[in-house]
Amino acid sequence: MPLSQSPRTAAVAASDGSAPDARQLRTILIAVSVALMAVIASVSGLNVAQTDLAVDFGVSQSTVLWIINIYTLALAALLLPFGAIGDRLGRKPMLIAGLAVFGVASVAGALAPNAEVMIAARTGAGVGAAMIMPVTLAVITSTFPEEQRGKAIGVWTGVGGGGGVVGLFLAAFLVDAADWRWLFVLPLVLVVVAMAMTLKSVPNSFERSRHSFDTIGALVSTVAVVGLIFVLQEGPERGWTAPVTLISLAVGSVATVGFALWELHRRDASLLDVRLFRERGLAGGAITLLVTFGVQAGITVVLLPFFQAVLGWSALLSSVAMLPMAVALIVASGVAPRSAAQIGVRWTLALGIALTGVGLALLALFVSVDGGYLSVLAGLLAMGFGSGLAMTPSTEAITSSLPREKQGVASALNDVTREFGTALGVALLGALLSAGYRSSIDGKLQGIPQGTADTARDGIANALETAPGAGPRAQDLVHAAQQSFVDGWQQAMWVGTAIMGALLVYIALRGPKNPAPVAADEAEVTENVAAR
C-alpha cells in the first residue's frame, strides 16, 4: 500500500450528507480567505512601526524585535499540534476558537500600556493564528471536490502570498495617517467578518482516529520549531556564535532528530508520518515552498531599505512600490491550477521557479542608484509571477500527499514550511546584503573621520544618519553608502539566483508527478461535509 494511502478513519460529521453547492463553496472560500488574511496581515504589520513602538514604550530595539518576532515564533511552533487537534475535534470549532483568541489578543495589543503587555498580547495572537491558519486550508481540502480544489487552493495561496505585501501597505498608511495602535483595526475587522461567515457557512468535519493523540510528538515538534526559528530570528541580532544562539541551535537540532525517530516509531499513529518525505510530491512541494517563501521574504528585507534609504521614499510609498509584485503573485496563483492541468504539476513548478530565478537575475543586473524604481520593476514582476506559479501546485502537492484524516496536519506542515522559509530567507539574504555592504564601503571611507566611518559600516541607515559628521565629505559618504548597498544587493540576488537554479534542476529531475485520477472509492471520501 502506498504511504499516501494509509488506512482511512471514518469521517464524522453532523450533516445531512449533502455536498455544498457552488454558492456555498464560494462563501466557504471567502470565509477562510478572510480568516487567513487576518493572520497574514498581522505578520508584517508592526514592522513599519518599530520606531514608534520603541519611543512609546521606551524600550530598546531588541525588545521591539521581540514584540514583532514572538508572534511568528508562537505561530510556527504550534501549527502542527493545532492542525492535528483540529482534525480530531472538528475544524469549524477550531477555526471559531482561533478567531476568538486572535481577536481578544488583538484588542489587548491595541490597548497595551507597556511592552510586557504587548509581548503577551502578541504571543496570544500567535497562538490564535496557529489555530486558524492550518484549518483554513484543511477546510478547503476536505470540502471542495477534487476538480475544484486546485482553483480554491490557488485563491488561498494568492491571499497567503500577496496578503503580506497588501497588509504592509495598509499598515504603512495607518502609521503615516494615524497611530500605530490603529494597525490592529484591520485584523479585528477581518476577524469579525470571518467569524460571522464561519458560523453561518463553513461546514464542520472531523476524523475519528483509531489511535491516541501523539502528545509526545506534538511537544517535541514544538521544541524543535521554537529552537530552530529562534536561531534564524535572533542569530543576526545576537550573533551566530553567541552562546544563546548555539544552545538554541543544539536544542532545535536534537529535538528535530528526536521527533523524526519518534514518528518513525509511532508509524501510523504518528503526528506526521515522516516516511512520506520519500515521496516526490511531499518532498518537492515542501522544498519549493521553503525556497520560494525564503526568497520572497528576503527580497522584502532588501527592497524596503532600497526604496527608503537609496531612493529616499517614505514607508507608505515604499509599500506601494511593492504592490506590483503582490498583484503578479495573486494573478499567477489563479493561473497555476490551469497550467498544472495542461502541462503538468512538475513543469508548472519548474516554470515558476525559472521565472523567479530570472526575476532575481534581473534585480541583480539592472539595479542602480540612478536607475530608480524602473531598474527593479521588471525583476519584481517576474518574481511575483514566478512565485505565484510555484506556490499553488506546491501546496496542493503537500496536501494531496497526506491522507484525508490528517489534512489539518498536512495544512500545518505547509504553513510550517512557509514560516521556516520566511525566517531562513530573511536571515540569509539579510546577512549577505550586510556582508556585501560592509565589504564594499570599506574601500570608500578614506578621508572620513574615524568615528563616522565606524558608524557608517553598520548599515546604510546608520551611514545616512551620521553623514553630517563627515563635514565636507558628507555627500560623498551618502553616495558611498548608497552604492555599497547596491553592491550588497547584487551579491544577495546572485546567491538567490543560484539557489533557484539548483531548485530548478531538482524539480526537473525529482519533481512531483501528475496526480492519478481519483478512484471511485476515494471519490466517496470527498463527501465529508457537515451541516452549516
Side-chain angles (χ1 to χ4, degrees):
M1 176 184 298
L3 291 176
S4 59
Q5 301 297 325
S6 58
R8 296 184 182 276
T9 55
V12 180
S15 80
D16 57 7
S18 61
D21 57 25
R23 182 187 60 81
Q24 290 173 307
L25 289 175
R26 284 195 299 269
T27 305
I28 292 167
L29 182 57
I30 292 172
V32 297
S33 296
V34 171
L36 177 64
M37 183 64 185
V39 171
I40 297 298
S42 294
V43 172
S44 56
L46 284 181
N47 279 318
V48 300
Q50 293 188 38
T51 301
D52 300 291
L53 289 169
V55 172
D56 281 8
F57 290 146
V59 295
S60 66
Q61 178 65 19
S62 177
T63 301
V64 171
L65 289 176
W66 263 110
I67 291 173
I68 293 170
N69 289 339
I70 194 66
Y71 174 83
T72 306
L73 192 64
L75 167 61
L78 296 173
L79 281 168
L80 278 175
F82 280 149
I85 292 171
D87 286 338
R88 287 169 173 262
L89 299 184
R91 291 159 187 140
K92 182 173 182 175
M94 179 63 78
L95 181 55
I96 292 171
L99 288 168
V101 171
F102 188 87
V104 170
S106 296
V107 172
L111 302 177
N114 53 52
E116 290 75 19
V117 173
M118 176 61 88
I119 290 174
R122 293 289 286 174
T123 303
V127 173
M131 300 168 74
I132 296 168
M133 200 169 180
V135 173
T136 58
L137 183 55
V139 166
I140 291 174
T141 57
S142 64
T143 302
F144 277 73
E146 179 81 16
E147 65 274 10
Q148 299 181 45
R149 195 172 303 150
K151 293 180 181 178
I153 290 176
V155 173
W156 186 92
T157 302
V159 172
V165 176
V166 175
L168 190 65
F169 161 68
L170 294 174
F173 173 77
L174 289 171
V175 169
D176 284 354
D179 181 80
W180 66 264
R181 294 184 186 274
W182 285 89
L183 293 175
F184 294 93
V185 171
L186 174 62
L188 278 172
V189 171
L190 294 173
V191 163
V192 171
V193 173
M195 180 73 82
M197 297 185 72
T198 298
L199 289 170
K200 181 180 179 181
S201 303
V202 173
N204 186 29
S205 62
F206 61 95
E207 314 293 336
R208 178 177 291 136
S209 176
R210 295 178 288 106
H211 305 289
S212 61
F213 182 71
D214 186 8
T215 304
I216 293 178
L219 293 174
V220 175
S221 73
T222 300
V223 173
V225 173
V226 168
L228 296 179
I229 291 288
F230 183 88
V231 170
L232 295 174
Q233 288 182 344
E234 297 296 312
E237 178 73 15
R238 299 172 181 263
W240 296 106
T241 57
V244 67
T245 305
L246 295 177
I247 291 172
S248 181
L249 177 61
V251 170
S253 300
V254 170
T256 300
V257 174
F259 174 74
L261 294 175
W262 175 254
E263 299 304 279
L264 287 172
H265 169 71
R266 292 271 299 187
R267 299 179 69 83
D268 291 338
S270 62
L271 181 72
L272 173 64
D273 190 347
V274 296
R275 296 172 297 169
L276 289 169
F277 282 97
R278 296 202 300 260
E279 291 197 356
R280 290 187 175 192
L282 186 60
I287 293 172
T288 300
L289 275 185
L290 181 79
V291 175
T292 304
F293 266 90
V295 167
Q296 188 185 36
I299 285 295
T300 303
V301 170
V302 173
L303 280 173
L304 287 177
F306 175 77
F307 292 143
Q308 293 176 290
V310 177
L311 302 186
W313 292 359
S314 66
L316 179 59
L317 186 57
S318 299
S319 300
V320 172
M322 296 176 64
L323 288 178
M325 181 172 68
V327 171
L329 189 152
I330 293 170
V331 170
S333 296
V335 172
R338 292 197 298 273
S339 173
Q342 292 173 359
I343 67 174
V345 174
R346 183 191 304 186
W347 298 115
T348 299
L349 280 178
L351 179 59
I353 292 165
L355 279 174
T356 305
V358 168
L360 288 166
L362 290 174
L363 289 174
L365 286 170
F366 296 113
V367 65
S368 69
V369 177
D370 299 326
Y373 184 58
L374 291 179
S375 69
V376 300
L377 181 58
L380 294 183
L381 291 172
M383 270 204 62
F385 202 84
S387 297
L389 280 181
M391 288 176 184
T392 299
S394 295
T395 296
E396 192 167 9
I398 291 174
T399 57
S400 63
S401 294
L402 270 74
R404 186 179 183 81
E405 67 268 16
K406 291 196 173 183
Q407 280 306 294
V409 175
S411 305
L413 177 61
N414 175 82
D415 298 334
V416 169
T417 303
R418 290 158 54 115
E419 295 301 325
F420 264 115
T422 298
L424 184 60
V426 169
L428 176 61
L429 293 187
L432 288 169
L433 173 64
S434 297
Y437 170 86
R438 285 192 298 269
S439 176
S440 178
I441 202 171
D442 276 340
K444 300 181 176 72
L445 295 176
Q446 292 84 1
I448 303 296
Q450 186 63 40
T452 301
D454 290 341
T455 302
R457 288 187 179 92
D458 292 335
I460 187 170
N462 306 79
L464 298 183
E465 182 70 23
T466 195
R473 299 289 308 279
Q475 198 57 42
D476 292 337
L477 178 57
V478 170
H479 286 313
Q482 291 174 334
Q483 185 56 52
S484 297
F485 181 89
V486 168
D487 292 341
W489 162 304
Q490 290 176 316
Q491 176 176 303
M493 294 305 100
W494 283 125
V495 171
T497 302
I499 292 173
M500 297 309 296
L503 177 61
L504 178 60
V505 172
Y506 173 81
I507 291 298
L509 296 176
R510 296 285 302 169
K513 298 178 181 178
N514 291 331
V518 181
D521 59 339
E522 290 294 317
E524 293 179 1
V525 186
T526 63
E527 302 302 326
N528 177 21
V529 180
R532 292 177 293 145

